[in-house]
Amino acid sequence: MINKVELQSTISKYNLGGMIDAVKWTVQNKHLTIKFNAPTKDMIGEITHTLFDIEDCEIAIYNTSQLDKLLAITSGDVNLQLEKIGKIFGRLVIEDTNYKLNYSLSDLLLIQKPGTVMDPDNYIVESVLESDAISAVIRAKNALQSDNVNFTITTNFDGEQVLTMIFGDNSTHTHKVEYIVPNTVITGNQYNFNTPFNSEMIRVIFANNKDANKAYMSLNINGLLRLVFEGDNWKSTYYIIGTTN
């Protein structure tokens, strides 16, 4: 059994509001792993859940949005069972106290293999994101229509290096929102660092991971952003590459 809300929350962390629909679920010893990348190829991610009550399997979820609609009518805890058609898993059966739902699984060959990332592990910026910071970034993005955010390193009134996210187009005569990210450690002198990212990608990731107990943001000198969120039984990791100015 797994709680319906927890299951939908896990799904939302890769589905990202409908951005990513077709994925492979891999379960071994109740440990779920889902790897994925954005259609635009600028983000690669992985979700893990350590208490996922279903038998060992590799199954193709081709239409996650449809699965989420089925789950929406359930309540409380749901039981997940797999049924085979021939020798392969063909159906995911979802049951609560009132409903029995059949979700048709797809051929694993239809799922595009996600890309991989060699984590450079030499990040110049390390931030611990509290819930207030996550909400602040979401609000900053929502205040503007622009999908651009520049990560810059400047100095504050005390001459200390600070990480600032500047939301808005690069043009001088446009509206902008600047947010200084708290709880940030910057390694070395990085005063000239300035890298743009897709702010909508960051917003949707933050919005679907607001329930994290812990969250971390790391930035590489070459323009690779790593976001890590952790809950009681789950962990989500995203790698985002910068855009061009």
Side-chain angles (χ1 to χ4, degrees):
M1 302 286 284
I2 185 171
N3 183 265
K4 165 258 188 85
V5 173
E6 184 177 357
L7 178 56
Q8 286 195 299
S9 177
T10 300
I11 289 172
S12 74
K13 289 169 176 49
Y14 76 79
N15 184 238
L16 298 176
M19 182 189 303
I20 299 165
D21 248 2
V23 294
K24 179 176 72 173
W25 290 13
T26 301
V27 180
Q28 187 172 15
N29 297 324
K30 296 187 178 182
H31 186 107
L32 170 70
T33 301
I34 305 170
K35 298 181 179 181
F36 53 92
N37 55 241
T40 49
K41 308 299 183 184
D42 57 345
M43 183 273 290
I44 291 175
E46 178 177 297
I47 308 297
T48 60
H49 193 292
T50 57
L51 290 175
F52 201 77
D53 193 9
I54 195 172
E55 64 183 289
D56 289 1
C57 62
E58 283 191 341
I59 55 176
I61 306 294
Y62 193 76
N63 189 337
T64 294
S65 297
Q66 179 60 69
L67 174 60
D68 200 43
K69 289 178 181 178
L70 291 174
L71 286 169
I73 70 172
T74 64
S75 60
D77 292 338
V78 295
N79 183 48
L80 305 179
Q81 296 287 335
L82 292 170
E83 291 184 357
K84 286 188 174 181
I85 299 176
K87 295 183 178 180
I88 63 173
F89 292 119
R91 262 189 301 272
L92 174 63
V93 181
I94 306 162
E95 290 185 85
D96 68 358
T97 55
N98 297 305
Y99 289 104
K100 180 177 181 179
L101 311 172
N102 290 333
Y103 177 81
S104 296
L105 300 172
S106 299
D107 192 322
L108 286 167
L109 295 177
L110 295 177
I111 306 300
Q112 184 179 6
K113 186 177 180 180
T116 58
V117 174
M118 293 294 294
D119 196 324
D121 202 30
N122 59 342
Y123 296 97
I124 60 169
V125 175
E126 299 276 0
S127 301
V128 177
L129 300 173
E130 304 289 346
S131 59
D132 288 348
I134 292 174
S135 297
V137 169
I138 295 172
R139 290 197 302 269
K141 159 56 187 167
N142 289 340
L144 296 172
Q145 294 296 317
S146 171
D147 283 342
N148 186 75
V149 57
N150 277 53
F151 283 70
T152 66
I153 296 176
T154 56
T155 55
N156 59 17
F157 291 116
D158 297 323
E160 302 168 327
Q161 291 187 115
V162 293
L163 174 66
T164 303
M165 299 174 67
I166 304 176
F167 294 83
D169 294 332
N170 290 324
S171 172
T172 303
H173 303 290
T174 58
H175 302 299
K176 296 186 189 301
V177 175
E178 297 187 14
Y179 175 66
I180 296 177
V181 182
N183 302 319
T184 296
V185 175
I186 300 172
T187 302
N189 294 321
Q190 310 293 345
Y191 298 112
N192 295 321
F193 186 85
N194 187 341
T195 301
F197 288 89
N198 184 324
S199 61
E200 175 59 17
M201 177 71 72
I202 294 171
R203 184 203 67 80
V204 75
I205 290 172
F206 277 29
N208 286 283
N209 287 274
K210 291 190 297 184
D211 56 338
N213 298 331
K214 301 176 183 178
Y216 309 94
M217 182 169 67
S218 307
L219 192 57
N220 179 266
I221 190 68
N222 296 318
L224 179 68
L225 181 67
R226 181 180 68 186
L227 299 171
V228 180
F229 304 88
E230 297 180 9
D232 291 336
N233 305 313
W234 60 269
K235 180 179 179 180
S236 58
T237 305
Y238 307 85
Y239 295 91
I240 309 171
I241 59 174
T243 60
T244 56
N245 284 299

